[in-house]
């Protein structure tokens, strides 16, 4: 497994870019011509929430438990928001962007949803939760924001209880059949949204695309080979992983008899999603707040519990306090919090 982690510069880029998105999509400022405005993103969020509820219903019917879930890379928390209100089960929305997580309250009002998930600013490289404490971790469009998905998947596996589940979706696979001859319009620009299907297909093979994320220093790792995904998912004993490739063909990443399909996926790329299970038998877990641990102690190799308060959480072992900012717990190691959010002290 690679030790390559998301660097501090990329984390700063994530925070700066997503703060601007909140200003555009919640406060109504016009900072990007090629990003959705409030009405546009609201429609997208409604679609994502409906899709997530339907997906989690299918997983629940297949025996995957929902209470005590963690969503990694939750952004505005819309998927967690939908789940805690639809199923009445507790959940934890985790992201590096404080602004995005704070905006969850705005979207709860817009969608008339009464219950907010527990929201946590944390570093996916080292999540401040107790090992073996969660029944379900899931993420969408998250793992490609890291140089290598394997350390993040390993961290998710650490958090899962024996018999726990990891679900991920909408992640890219390297397309080897590509020549970058010209620059395509930005994805959410007027030109990009209005392009014909033929032009979009041509661009996907012959162009490179500039996006606001990369211009802010955000990692957009779209070139993840199939072998890297197989390596990243090694901690699990049951793996239902498919790649949707050319002509919507579904390719099983681990089935021994689908070598031709994997060859197609390797040349034409696609999107990968999967449901994976950690070895062992799942038992009832503790309430979510009890799973939180001190990130400073965790960095030193100890998993120390936190005492909750209205304005901060505190570690009894080292005495460090962690702020709650507009309902969002900022649980970063002290030095990292001061580097990324100096306004919080």
């Amino acid at each position: 497994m690679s030790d390559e982690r998301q660097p501090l510069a990329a984390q700063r880029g994530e925070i700066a870019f997503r703060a601007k998105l909140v200003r555009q999509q919640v406060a109504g400022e016009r900072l990007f011509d090629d990003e959705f405005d409030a009405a546009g993103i609201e429609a997208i969020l409604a679609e994502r929430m409906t899709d997530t509820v339907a997906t989690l219903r299918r997983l629940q019917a297949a025996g995957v438990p929902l209470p005590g879930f963690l969503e990694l890379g939750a952004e505005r928390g819309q998927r967690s928001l939908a789940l805690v209100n639809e199923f009445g089960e507790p959940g934890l929305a985790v992201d590096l962007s404080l602004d995005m997580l704070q905006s969850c309250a705005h979207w709860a009002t817009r969608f008339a949803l009464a219950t907010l998930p527990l929201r946590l600013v944390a570093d996916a490289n080292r999540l401040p939760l107790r090992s073996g404490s969660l029944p379900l971790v899931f993420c969408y469009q998250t793992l490609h924001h890291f140089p290598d998905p394997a350390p993040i998947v390993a961290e998710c596996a650490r958090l899962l209880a024996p018999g726990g589940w990891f679900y991920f979706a909408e992640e890219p696979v390297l397309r080897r059949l590509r020549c970058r001859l010209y620059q395509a319009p930005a994805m959410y620009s007027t030109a990009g949204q209005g392009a014909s299907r033929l032009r979009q297909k041509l661009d996907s093979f012959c162009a490179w695309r500039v996006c606001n994320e990369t211009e802010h220093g955000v990692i957009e790792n779209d070139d993840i080979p199939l072998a890297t995904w197989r390596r990243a998912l090694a901690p699990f004993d049951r793996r239902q992983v498919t790649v949707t490739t050319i002509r919507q063909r579904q390719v099983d990443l681990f089935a021994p008899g689908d070598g031709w399909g994997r060859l197609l996926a390797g040349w034409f790329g696609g999107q990968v999603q999967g449901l994976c299970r950690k070895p062992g038998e799942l038992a009832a877990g503790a309430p979510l707040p009890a799973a939180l641990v001190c990130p400073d102690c965790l960095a030193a190799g100890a998993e120390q519990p936190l005492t909750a308060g209205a304005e901060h959480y505190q570690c009894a072992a080292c005495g460090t306090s962690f702020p709650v900012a507009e309902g969002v717990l900022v649980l970063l190691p002290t030095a990292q919090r001061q580097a990324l959010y100096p306004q919080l002290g």
Side-chain angles (χ1 to χ4, degrees), residues 128-210:
L129 289 106
R130 193 176 302 282
S131 299
S133 61
L134 301 176
L136 171 64
V137 176
F138 74 91
C139 60
Y140 286 76
Q141 299 181 356
T142 296
L143 300 173
H144 70 282
H145 288 306
F146 300 87
D148 182 351
I152 307 304
V153 174
E155 183 67 356
C156 293
R158 177 184 70 82
L159 301 184
L160 287 173
W165 296 86
F166 174 59
Y167 175 76
F168 68 100
E170 300 179 22
E171 297 289 354
V173 169
L174 169 66
R175 170 179 288 173
R176 299 187 187 280
L177 192 60
R178 167 178 281 175
C179 55
R180 291 176 169 88
L181 301 178
Y182 59 89
Q183 181 177 317
M187 183 181 301
Y188 301 125
S189 65
T190 302
Q193 292 287 298
S196 68
R197 182 170 296 182
L198 177 60
R199 176 58 190 269
Q200 291 178 8
K201 187 64 67 177
L202 181 66
D203 288 348
S204 72
F205 282 97
C206 300
W208 75 89
R209 193 183 299 277
V210 175

Side-chain angles (χ1 to χ4, degrees), residues 258-275:
D258 202 6
W260 172 245
R262 286 195 291 275
L263 181 64
L264 282 178
W267 281 104
F268 290 95
Q271 283 197 336
V272 62
Q273 68 173 28
L275 176 64

Side-chain angles (χ1 to χ4, degrees), residues 28 32 59 74-75 99 107 111 115-116 131 141 153 162 199 201 260 318 328 330 336 343:
F32 301 107
L59 297 186
E75 291 188 318
D99 296 272
W107 298 113
F111 291 108
T115 304
L116 292 171
S131 299
Q141 299 181 356
V153 174
R199 176 58 190 269
K201 187 64 67 177
W260 172 245
C318 69
V328 179
V330 182
Q336 188 178 14
Q343 72 274 21

Side-chain angles (χ1 to χ4, degrees), residues 66-71 80 84 89-93 116-119 288:
L66 299 189
F69 70 80
L70 181 150
E71 180 187 8
S80 294
V84 297
E89 304 288 4
L92 179 59
L116 292 171
L118 178 61
R119 292 165 290 160
L288 268 180

Side-chain angles (χ1 to χ4, degrees), residues 4 32 210 213 238:
E4 195 175 6
F32 301 107
V210 175
E213 285 93 333
R238 287 170 55 183

